Amino acid sequence: GLSFDKPIRHLREFLSILMPLLNDGKVSFTGETLSCNAQVFQTAVKPPSVVVAALGPQALRVAGARTNGTTLAWVGPKTIAEHIVPLIGAAADKANRDAPRIIATLPVVVTKDAASIRDRIAKTLTMYGELPSYQAMFKREGVSGPADLAIAGSAAEVEDSLMKLKVAGVTDFAAAVYATNSDEHIQTRALLLKIGQMS
C-alpha cells in the first residue's frame, strides 16, 4: 500500500533506517513515508555489505554516498565504464567512502551455438526489453535487448568478455549460467572456476 511515486525518496528513507540498524544497532528516523525507532538485540561485529540495484544517476549517487555499491543486471561493459562507475565512484569519493563494489549479473555459457542461446534469450526474456530503466541501459550500450548482452561462445570468447567487464570496473561477477545441456554446464563452470582462481 506504500506509494512509490518518488523512488529516490523511498530509497533514501529506506537506507536512513537500514544503515544505522546494521552499523550502529539502533535508529531513530522520521521520514515523509518511512519512520523507525528501533534497536537490535546485538549489534553486528562486522556489518554486512549493502548494495543497491541502481541504474539511473540519482540512484547511483545515493548508492555511492550511502552504501557499499551497486548490483547490476543486463548492463554491458561500455555502460559500466562510462556511466555506472563514474557516477557511483564520484559519490562514494565525495562521501569519503571506499571504492564501491560493482556487481554484474549476465547470462554466461561456453557453447558451440551462441546464436541459438541468444535466440532463446530473445524469446524468453523479452520483459527486460520492455522496462524503461533497462531500455535506457540498452540504448547506452548500443544494443537492442538482453540477447545482445549474453556472454556466449567458446571458452576464449567468454573469458575475453568477462575480462572486458573487469576492465570496465566490475568488482564481482555473479554468473547466471545459461547452459542448455550438461556439456555446456560443465565447461562453463570449469571456466568460471579457473577465472575465479586467477582473481
Side-chain angles (χ1 to χ4, degrees):
L2 290 174
S3 170
F4 207 65
D5 61 333
K6 294 183 178 179
I8 301 304
R9 177 187 66 188
H10 182 86
L11 176 60
R12 285 195 187 102
E13 293 192 358
F14 184 84
L15 292 173
S16 293
I17 294 169
L18 178 66
M19 300 308 287
L21 278 174
L22 292 176
N23 295 322
D24 308 322
K26 59 185 176 180
V27 65
S28 179
F29 175 80
T30 302
E32 292 179 52
T33 59
L34 299 175
S35 298
C36 183
N37 283 290
Q39 184 168 340
V40 297
F41 291 110
Q42 184 174 344
T43 305
V45 174
K46 183 180 178 185
S49 179
V50 174
V51 295
V52 172
L55 295 175
Q58 292 184 77
L60 285 166
R61 289 187 188 104
V62 172
R66 303 181 66 177
T67 74
N68 303 105
T70 185
T71 179
L72 312 167
W74 303 114
V75 182
K78 178 177 183 287
T79 304
I80 291 168
E82 297 176 5
H83 171 68
I84 303 291
V85 170
L87 284 172
I88 195 170
D93 190 53
K94 186 177 178 181
N96 294 315
R97 296 184 65 86
D98 291 338
R101 292 175 67 191
I102 311 293
I103 305 169
T105 299
L106 287 170
V108 57
V109 61
V110 174
T111 180
K112 295 176 182 175
D113 193 0
S116 176
I117 295 291
R118 293 183 200 287
D119 185 56
R120 180 180 289 214
I121 289 172
K123 290 176 180 174
T124 59
L125 298 172
T126 55
M127 60 182 173
Y128 292 103
E130 298 167 1
L131 298 171
S133 56
Y134 287 113
Q135 286 174 350
M137 297 302 107
F138 298 149
K139 185 176 180 181
R140 282 182 184 277
E141 192 69 21
V143 299
S144 60
D148 298 326
L149 292 173
I151 299 174
S154 68
E157 289 170 329
V158 169
E159 185 170 357
D160 183 59
S161 293
L162 293 174
M163 290 304 107
K164 286 178 181 174
L165 287 173
K166 184 176 182 179
V167 169
V170 170
T171 60
D172 306 73
F173 181 68
V177 176
Y178 202 88
T180 59
N181 58 57
S182 59
D183 285 344
E184 289 178 349
H185 184 81
I186 291 167
Q187 291 176 51
T188 304
R189 297 288 295 178
L191 178 62
L192 292 170
L193 181 60
K194 172 192 155 190
I195 293 172
Q197 290 172 338
M198 289 166 46
S199 299

